[in-house]
């Protein structure tokens, strides 16, 4: 069978400020999906990067007193550092200030122009620099102090400037037809309705260039204009595939399998982006999934509260994999959630230290002390062994189903159902009592537990790559660690290294 392609992207992050929990969340979720697909044996291309142009970034550079390029070099490096700390397995990191991207953005502009979808006019209307978005009057809200604000709460300003427009209005029907023919394109379903209603209510042509500042990609043939930052940014997903040369080694990854985005940027990905692609005669991505937002200890993260959470100190304090686990276990993906130290510590202690960690430690240290520190011989299976092994055998398929729906918490729930069943099994079978009375039976019980732990560790590699690799080392599993190895038996008699605890309990004052 030919390999299945899986091209997954995160949004490219604005470099107007330092990376925080929200960015780490999108990247970690994408990383789990990329790793899962690699475990499945798929041909994965995982892209992340930084969005470096536009008025907001230019203003941040000015505030920092440095040239925009110097500023974006610095902040982009910080985002790359966050990706490294979070063990994000991206295959490429794109920066919109790179020459390859400038070339791609200008090429798509020319293509849209050639196809008759770009015209010169004048923009007169509301703009929010914080959101880098144009708003209609009827979308705005009035704040208590009488000023107008974007639906996101961001300040807006009245802008009058010459501008090129993209004929978005020409795509209303085609977009509606596309959504109808591809009901899985936008997820979760509540977002599908939101986008659908927005398009149905009528699309106005979109301003796609600015003249009031210069930090952007010049419009080809009219250097008084720079491209609107979203027009520039969305193209990154194509740049990384080699666009405009769609014959290179990466071209086969387009169209993307999945754009992962936060809920506030669904409109850009599910309306503007498919319209640009249609206008450029390019195939559309398969799916756009919108996830929710984190608050911190009940509050929105904001500059005024100064409560942005940098994940790196959390990783230093609690360990990387526990933090990754928490982010994807605590909140059903798609919903909003609240981050608190208490919730993080609670999860680490109950699910990891007392749950998986305890099961692994009980089994492995018992084998090290009482079963010759090797994978025990399987012997003759009894009913309780078969029941537990059958449950383990069903896990990959259950997790596969949940991962396809991006229901990370369900994938983890299913895995913990198996862990709890194994806990009950070890209590019931009491290998410590069998040691003297029936060593053969003891070995069968320990073999069964090793097999279950191997299944759990293989599946969880997507979520906790470092620690699950260690657990697989403790189980004597070889270098090949994809889902396919679960169809092969454990190597009885294989010598096992001395195990150590995986998840220390956290004592919190
Ligand atoms: N530059 C644009 C994306 C362009 S993609 C072609 C952008 N950048 S961003 O830096 O503002 O945000 C990127 C991602 O971070 C979004 O997916 C967003 O949802 C996520 N988060 C930012 N704050 C967040 C939370 N508080 N909680 C969860 N995710 C949030 O938008």
């Amino acid at each position: 069978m030919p390999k299945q392609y899986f091209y997954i992207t995160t949004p490219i992050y604005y470099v107007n400020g330092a990376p925080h929990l929200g960015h780490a969340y999108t990247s970690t979720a994408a990383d789990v999906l990329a790793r899962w697909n690699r475990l499945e044996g798929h041909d994965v291309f995982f892209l992340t990067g930084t969005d470096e142009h536009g008025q907001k970034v230019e203003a941040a550079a000015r505030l920092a007193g440095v040239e925009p390029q110097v500023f974006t070099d610095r902040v982009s490096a910080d985002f790359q550092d966050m990706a490294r700390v979070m063990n994000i397995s991206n295959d490429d990191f794109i920066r919109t200030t790179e020459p390859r991207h400038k070339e791609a953005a200008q090429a798509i502009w020319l293509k849209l122009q050639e196809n008759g979808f770009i015209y010169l006019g004048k923009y007169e209307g509301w703009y929010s620099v914080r959101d880098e978005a144009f708003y209609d009057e009827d979308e705005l809200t009035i704040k208590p102090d009488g000023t107008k604000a974007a639906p996101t709460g961001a300040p807006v300003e009245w802008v009058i400037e010459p501008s090129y427009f993209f004929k978005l209005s020409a795509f209303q029907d085609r977009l509606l037809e596309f959504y109808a023919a591809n009901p899985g394109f936008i997820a979760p379903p509540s977002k599908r309705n939101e986008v659908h209603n927005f398009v149905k209510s009528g699309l106005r042509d979109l301003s796609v260039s600015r003249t009031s500042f210069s930090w952007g990609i010049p419009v080809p043939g009219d250097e008084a204009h720079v491209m609107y930052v979203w027009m520039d940014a969305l193209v990154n997903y194509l740049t990384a595939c080699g666009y405009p040369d769609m014959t290179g080694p990466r071209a086969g990854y387009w169209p993307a399998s999945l754009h992962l985005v936060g809920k506030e940027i669904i409109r850009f990905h599910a309306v503007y982006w498919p319209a640009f692609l249609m206008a450029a005669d390019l195939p559309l991505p398969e799916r756009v999934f919108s996830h929710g937002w984190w608050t911190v200890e009940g509050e929105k993260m904001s500059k005024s509260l100064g409560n942005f959470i940098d994940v790196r100190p959390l990783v230093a304090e609690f360990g990387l994999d526990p933090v990754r686990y928490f982010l994807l276990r605590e909140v059903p993906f798609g919903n909003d959630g609240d981050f608190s130290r208490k919730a993080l510590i609670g999860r680490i202690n109950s699910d990891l230290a007392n749950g998986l960690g305890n099961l692994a430690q009980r089994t492995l240290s018992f084998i090290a002390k009482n079963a010759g520190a090797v994978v025990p011989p399987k012997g003759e299976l009894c009913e309780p062994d078969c029941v537990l092994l059958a449950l383990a055998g069903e896990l990959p398929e259950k997790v596969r189903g949940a991962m396809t729906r991006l229901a990370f918490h369900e994938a983890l729930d299913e895995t913990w159902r198996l862990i709890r069943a194994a806990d009950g099994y070890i209590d019931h079978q009491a290998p410590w009592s069998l040691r003297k009375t029936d060593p053969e039976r003891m070995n069968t019980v320990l073999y069964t537990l090793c097999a279950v732990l191997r299944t759990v560790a293989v599946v969880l590699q997507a979520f906790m790559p470092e620690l699950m690799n260690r657990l697989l080392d403790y189980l004597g599993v070889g270098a090949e660690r994809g889902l396919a190895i679960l169809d092969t038996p454990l190597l009885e008699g294989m010598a096992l290294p001395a195990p150590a605890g995986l998840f220390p309990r956290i004592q919190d004052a």
Side-chain angles (χ1 to χ4, degrees), residues 354-355 358-359 362-363 384 388 419-434 441 445-446 449:
N354 297 350
N358 188 42
L359 175 69
R362 275 167 107 186
T363 306
L388 187 65
I419 291 170
R420 280 192 301 274
D423 260 333
Y425 171 88
I426 198 173
D427 288 343
H428 220 83
Q429 299 302 321
W432 43 88
S433 315
L434 294 168
R441 177 71 199 137
V445 167
L446 294 173
L449 286 163

Side-chain angles (χ1 to χ4, degrees), residues 10-17 20-27 49-53 56 79 96 130-132 229-230 232-237 260-265 268-269 273 291-296 300-301 308 336-337:
T10 73
I12 46 172
Y13 303 110
Y14 285 130
V15 291
N16 61 305
H20 60 65
L21 176 70
H23 309 119
Y25 184 51
T26 314
S27 287
T50 40
D51 188 353
E52 306 189 5
H53 291 128
K56 172 157 84 170
F79 272 91
T96 54
R130 197 168 94 191
D131 295 350
E132 295 284 19
V229 66
W230 272 100
D232 155 350
L234 286 162
V235 176
N236 90 85
Y237 304 132
L260 208 58
V261 301
K263 62 180 179 179
E264 80 289 7
I265 54 175
F268 300 96
H269 285 82
W273 182 225
H291 68 69
W293 269 48
W294 286 90
T295 49
V296 171
K300 194 174 165 191
M301 276 189 283
F308 283 103
D336 292 337

